[in-house]
Amino acid sequence: MAEQTVSIYRSMKDLPSTHLLGTGTPMCSGCGGLEALNQLYDIIGNKSVFVNAAGCMTLLSVYPFTPFRGSWLYTAMASAPAGAQGVRDALDILIQKQRMSADEDMQVVVLTGDGAAYGMGLSATSGAMERNLDFLYICYDNEGYGNTGQQFSAATPHGAKTATSKGPRGYPGFKKDLFAIWAAHNPAYVATVEGAEPVDLARKIEKAMTMKGPRLLIALSPCPPGWDYDPKETVNVGKLAVKTGVWPLKEYIDGRVVHTKIPRERKPVEEYLKLQGRYKHLFEPQRNEKLINEIQDKVDRYWDSIDL
Ligand SMILES: Cc1ncc(C[n+]2csc(CCOP(=O)(O)OP(=O)(O)O)c2C)c(N)n1
Ligand code: SF4
């Protein structure tokens, strides 16, 4: 049973006011992934080793520089959890041989996009959970293969246009439920977060940092070029994902799923969709009522099915 602790983050004024991550990164302006990472890193702290699979965030590190205070390891797309196992083992051996004190131990953090987390790296992730690896997995979910031009991934939502789903109905598949896949492995912790909900995000990473074992935070990450909207709208898009119920904020702990922010009066999904060019074909040249209703129904069914 995880210990119940009181969060030090009760409101915005309790959040860190200075940031650890270096500035001037080559991420796109308005990058929702960077927005989430910036906040998460403040609480993870500098005693951490980041293991990063190929993706947009790889561009944060241009050898020999990174905006991180600690170490950084780059892996192939499918292998970040295997890389994390190697780093964790090395730290444990150094501590065991007294070449490093337990106080100097570091948090091993996997950082990948959804292409790796929901798809290519899922087998290595499942194996790491089976071995009860002590690691924190951060997935910035921009719902496509962003770094290579937003091809669809296993996280792409139904109806969205991508570089490889350009037809009148957009992507015909459905977003995979990574939260449920992780929870089925019975890990220490799983949570969804959103950069535009900083207090909820801070509380979850604070909680995850008190635990050992496999822990995942999935950050829905609005992506201006991939989702086709003005970069200044990133916070608005993120907030609407929560207010429309498209992105439920929740956590899995001790075998239970708890919703941490419930949109009591959910806004119509249309308000979220309309802000993004990847859904433009739903509204122009004429309204695709059927597809808009399909998307709304799926969200409604989700909220109707859970015991709040
Ligand atoms: C096995 C393999 N296939 C393809 C690539 C090319 N590649 C590099 S980054 C990337 C996109 C990764 O997508 P995601 O994990 O969602 O991260 P994002 O780019 O969105 O940050 C791809 C396909 C690769 N590096 N390795
Ligand atoms: S493509 Fe999207 S996820 Fe990648 S850096 Fe740009 S805004 Fe961020």
Side-chain angles (χ1 to χ4, degrees), residues 7-88:
S7 174
I8 62 165
Y9 304 110
R10 282 163 302 164
S11 69
M12 293 283 280
K13 66 177 172 26
D14 300 320
L15 298 175
S17 54
T18 54
H19 298 296
L20 273 184
L21 197 72
T23 53
T25 75
M27 298 296 104
C28 310
S29 64
C31 174
L34 185 63
E35 177 197 30
L37 178 63
N38 206 21
Q39 299 174 58
L40 291 164
Y41 188 49
D42 283 341
I43 295 168
I44 293 170
N46 54 6
K47 280 171 74 180
S48 49
V49 182
F50 275 74
V51 183
N52 174 229
C56 288
M57 297 291 165
T58 309
L59 303 177
L60 288 174
S61 294
V62 182
Y63 182 81
F65 303 107
T66 89
F68 290 84
R69 313 277 167 148
S71 296
W72 173 275
L73 177 76
Y74 174 60
T75 70
M77 272 192 76
S79 314
Q85 178 79 59
V87 174
R88 187 60 264 159

Side-chain angles (χ1 to χ4, degrees), residues 1 44 103 184 243 258-259 281:
M1 200 70 178
I44 293 170
D103 288 351
K243 285 181 179 163
V258 176
H259 286 76
H281 54 287

Side-chain angles (χ1 to χ4, degrees), residues 27-284:
M27 298 296 104
C28 310
S29 64
C31 174
L34 185 63
E35 177 197 30
L37 178 63
N38 206 21
Q39 299 174 58
L40 291 164
Y41 188 49
D42 283 341
I43 295 168
I44 293 170
N46 54 6
K47 280 171 74 180
S48 49
V49 182
F50 275 74
V51 183
N52 174 229
C56 288
M57 297 291 165
T58 309
L59 303 177
L60 288 174
S61 294
V62 182
Y63 182 81
F65 303 107
T66 89
F68 290 84
R69 313 277 167 148
S71 296
W72 173 275
L73 177 76
Y74 174 60
T75 70
M77 272 192 76
S79 314
Q85 178 79 59
V87 174
R88 187 60 264 159
D89 288 351
L91 290 167
D92 288 343
I93 290 166
L94 288 171
I95 293 170
Q96 198 185 20
K97 291 187 180 287
Q98 296 183 341
R99 288 172 56 192
M100 202 177 116
S101 75
D103 288 351
E104 291 172 299
D105 195 12
M106 283 177 262
Q107 187 72 231
V108 180
V109 186
V110 164
L111 174 68
T112 81
D114 49 279
Y118 286 68
M120 281 194 220
L122 197 48
S123 174
T125 307
S126 179
M129 280 194 267
E130 207 174 305
R131 297 189 302 274
N132 200 31
L133 178 65
D134 181 21
F135 77 128
L136 177 67
Y137 195 133
I138 295 173
C139 167
Y140 57 98
D141 180 359
N142 61 7
E143 304 191 317
Y145 289 101
N147 186 239
T148 41
Q150 197 72 1
Q151 295 82 13
F152 73 76
S153 76
T156 300
H158 188 57
K161 183 179 151 196
T162 72
T164 39
S165 352
K166 290 184 170 164
R169 288 181 57 83
Y171 178 59
F174 292 88
K175 188 178 176 81
K176 200 185 263 183
D177 189 349
L178 186 66
F179 182 95
I181 292 168
W182 262 72
H185 288 75
N186 198 21
Y189 190 65
V190 190
T192 56
V193 296
E194 165 45 52
E197 296 290 348
V199 179
D200 179 80
L201 177 148
R203 285 184 187 155
K204 286 171 176 164
I205 184 68
E206 177 194 36
K207 197 178 283 181
M209 291 292 288
T210 66
M211 298 174 180
K212 285 200 173 290
R215 292 150 288 155
L216 169 72
L217 279 99
I218 317 170
L220 182 72
S221 300
C223 167
W227 298 11
D228 189 13
Y229 68 86
D230 189 322
K232 75 175 189 313
E233 296 291 349
T234 290
V235 171
N236 205 10
V237 172
K239 280 194 176 299
L240 276 171
V242 175
K243 285 181 179 163
T244 54
V246 165
W247 187 249
L249 292 175
K250 56 186 175 180
E251 59 188 2
Y252 167 93
I253 185 166
D254 291 334
R256 282 184 62 223
V257 176
V258 176
H259 286 76
T260 54
K261 190 155 187 163
I262 299 158
R264 296 279 172 202
E265 286 180 21
R266 288 196 308 279
K267 288 182 177 289
V269 286
E270 209 176 311
E271 290 191 28
Y272 171 71
L273 305 177
K274 266 189 167 161
L275 269 181
Q276 306 167 51
R278 64 177 174 157
Y279 293 113
K280 196 170 169 194
H281 54 287
L282 302 190
F283 303 97
E284 293 174 24

